[in-house]
Every structure is written in structure tokens, then in C-alpha cells.
Amino acid sequence: MTVLDCAPHDVLDAYRTCEFVTLGKNGTPLAWPTAVARREDGTLLLTTSLAFAQKALNVRRDSRVALLFSDPTGSGLDRARQVFVSGRAHCPDAITTGPEGAEEYWRRLFERQPHSRAYLKRPMRPVMSWYYLRLLITVEPERVSTRPSLEELP
């Protein structure tokens, strides 16, 4: 059993994005909307483009992170519960240039954003190749809590 087993998997899997929070050099929390994939081993996977690697740099300096699944727009869920996950992240130096190691992440992303497939074909692929130079960030949850949906809060 993993920490993530106490979270509502259907809700985590339905959310299109979450707010991913890392800590800056001076300890300031920095948040980005990020697509995340839940893995069967109880970890969460996200990626960042090599061109916009600040998330990875922050994780490498301080592995403490948080993810807040709070806005279910586009998920198909009405009044979806909010899910907060905190834990530790790691980001290897390996740069990926294809879906290897993140197949489910990319499958889900292309399913939810079908127009982005156009960037894989000519004439866009040579212009957009920088976008597919990715760093994989794995989050190992240490704590999970849920709250009512935003509509249900006072």
C-alpha cells in the first residue's frame, strides 16, 4: 500500500492539471499549472521542457514539493473534491526526446490536447523539437488530504 492509495484515484486521474509547487532559492513557494500522471507504483509523474527547466532546478535544490488538484475544469467531474499531495520529488539528469518512460503521460496528454499532435509532424516538428526535450520529475507522496469541491466551500 502507498500513501497515494488513500486519495480518490478517479479524481486524480480526471483532473487535467494541478498546481505544482516547488521552493525557490530563498524558500519562496513557486506554483505552476502542470499536467500530472498517476503511476501504479504510487508515484506521480510530470515533465518540464528543457527550455523551461526551473521546476527541475528547484526540485534538485530542495526536493520538497506540493501538488493541489483544485480546479476540475475539463475533467468531466461535477463538484470534484480537491486533493492536496505533499512529498519529495526527484529529477534525474537524463533528457528524454520521446515518450520512453512516460508513455501513459504522453498518451493522456495527446488524448486531452489532440491539436498538440500537429507539432510532431512536418513542418512543425523541426520548429518545435525543443519542446520535446524533457526532464521527467517523479513525486513520491508523503501526505495526502482531500477537501470538498470549491463549490461546496462556504
Side-chain angles (χ1 to χ4, degrees), residues 11 16 32 43-47 84 94-95 105 119-120 124 130 135 137 146-147:
V11 173
R16 299 290 176 115
W32 294 275
T43 63
L44 298 169
L45 174 69
L46 57 118
T47 73
F84 175 81
I95 298 168
Y105 176 89
Y119 298 127
L120 294 173
M124 292 304 295
W130 62 269
L135 296 167
I137 299 173
T146 61
R147 294 174 31 151

Side-chain angles (χ1 to χ4, degrees), residues 64-79:
R64 296 175 295 168
V65 298
L67 301 95
L68 177 62
F69 298 80
S70 64
D71 183 356
T73 301
S75 70
L77 300 176
D78 289 329
R79 298 180 173 258

Side-chain angles (χ1 to χ4, degrees), residues 53-94:
Q54 192 62 53
K55 289 179 270 202
L57 297 173
N58 289 352
V59 162
R60 289 174 180 169
R61 187 179 46 258
D62 189 329
S63 66
R64 296 175 295 168
V65 298
L67 301 95
L68 177 62
F69 298 80
S70 64
D71 183 356
T73 301
S75 70
L77 300 176
D78 289 329
R79 298 180 173 258
R81 296 185 60 77
Q82 298 178 71
V83 181
F84 175 81
V85 179
S86 62
R88 301 280 176 166
H90 67 278
C91 180
D93 288 335

